[in-house]
């Protein structure tokens, strides 16, 4: 790699980082507005009026996160949605570590799910395939991932086993 190529790589890196940081900054501002407008409390009341049991809350949040993951960036979802759903998780008695694992699984599935499927574009570029071929190759994996998500969401001990044995008093 010569000096000119190195400088080009630096500028591309700076550009990508700047775009991500602007997106993060906008997400933080939007999240602060949501908190100030008490959207979290309204969301908690709405969610608990629909779902009274923790497993029902978890299913509703999974559906919401899967849909959001299909259209929005992962960082933006985490920064915007987490402060809104945190009171609902506490009210429903859902462990936050457990939900963190479930949220990451949801967003990972969203990254390979159309219509946006950001990871599909990355995979297509790395594999030098067209988008349709990459989508066909990844589609069989979506159903097993959804089954694992359902299992982890409904059986908290699967995601809490290691933290419980690690942080036992």
């Amino acid at each position: 790699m010569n000096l000119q190529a190195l400088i080009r790589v630096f500028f591309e890196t700076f550009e990508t980082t700047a775009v991500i940081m602007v997106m993060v900054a906008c997400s933080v501002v939007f999240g602060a507005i949501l908190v100030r407008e008490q959207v979290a409390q309204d969301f908690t009341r709405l969610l608990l009026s629909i779902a009274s049991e923790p497993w029902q809350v978890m299913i509703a949040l999974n559906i919401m996160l899967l849909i959001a993951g299909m259209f929005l960036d992962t960082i933006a979802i985490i920064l915007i949605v987490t402060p809104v759903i945190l009171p609902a998780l506490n009210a429903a008695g859902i462990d936050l570590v457990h939900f963190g694992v479930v949220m990451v699984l949801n967003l990972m599935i969203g990254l390979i799910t159309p219509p946006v499927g950001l990871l599909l574009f990355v995979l297509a570029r790395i594999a030098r395939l067209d988008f349709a071929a990459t989508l066909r190759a990844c589609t069989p994996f979506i159903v097993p991932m959804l089954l694992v998500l359902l299992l982890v969401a409904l059986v908290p001990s699967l995601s809490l086993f290691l933290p419980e044995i690690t942080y036992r008093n």
Side-chain angles (χ1 to χ4, degrees):
M1 181 179 282
N2 60 24
L3 182 61
Q4 189 177 26
L6 183 64
I7 291 172
R8 183 178 44 80
V9 168
F10 278 145
F11 278 110
E12 289 174 6
T13 303
F14 293 149
E15 181 181 308
T16 303
T17 303
V19 169
I20 291 170
M21 289 299 113
V22 167
M23 186 175 57
V24 167
C26 291
S27 299
V28 169
V29 170
F30 185 63
I33 291 169
L34 291 176
V35 169
R36 192 186 84 222
E37 295 298 319
Q38 298 184 346
V39 172
Q41 290 81 359
D42 295 338
F43 178 77
T44 300
R45 280 192 292 278
L46 174 68
L47 185 62
L48 294 179
S49 71
I50 296 170
S52 57
E53 297 291 323
W55 68 270
Q56 294 169 333
V57 171
M58 188 63 82
I59 295 296
L61 290 174
N62 275 318
I63 292 168
M64 182 189 82
L65 287 171
L66 281 171
I67 292 170
M70 290 180 187
F71 298 99
L72 299 173
D73 181 63
T74 305
I75 296 170
I77 294 171
I78 291 171
L79 292 173
I80 293 171
V81 172
T82 302
V84 173
I85 63 174
L86 196 61
L89 295 171
N90 288 330
I94 296 172
D95 187 277
L96 299 181
V97 173
H98 173 234
F99 187 74
V101 172
V102 170
M103 185 176 204
V104 168
L105 282 172
N106 271 292
L107 298 178
M108 178 209 52
I109 293 169
L111 283 172
I112 66 161
T113 307
V116 177
L118 183 63
L119 194 56
L120 290 174
F121 289 103
V122 173
L123 289 171
R125 186 168 180 185
I126 290 172
R128 296 187 180 142
L129 296 172
D130 66 329
F131 182 78
T134 306
L135 179 60
R136 281 192 303 277
C138 291
T139 300
F141 296 100
I142 292 175
V143 172
M145 286 191 295
L146 288 172
L147 292 174
V148 168
L149 172 65
L150 186 63
L151 189 63
V152 170
L154 296 179
V155 184
S157 60
L158 291 175
S159 60
L160 295 176
F161 171 73
L162 191 57
E164 285 175 356
I165 64 170
T166 304
Y167 297 107
R168 203 177 281 165
N169 291 333

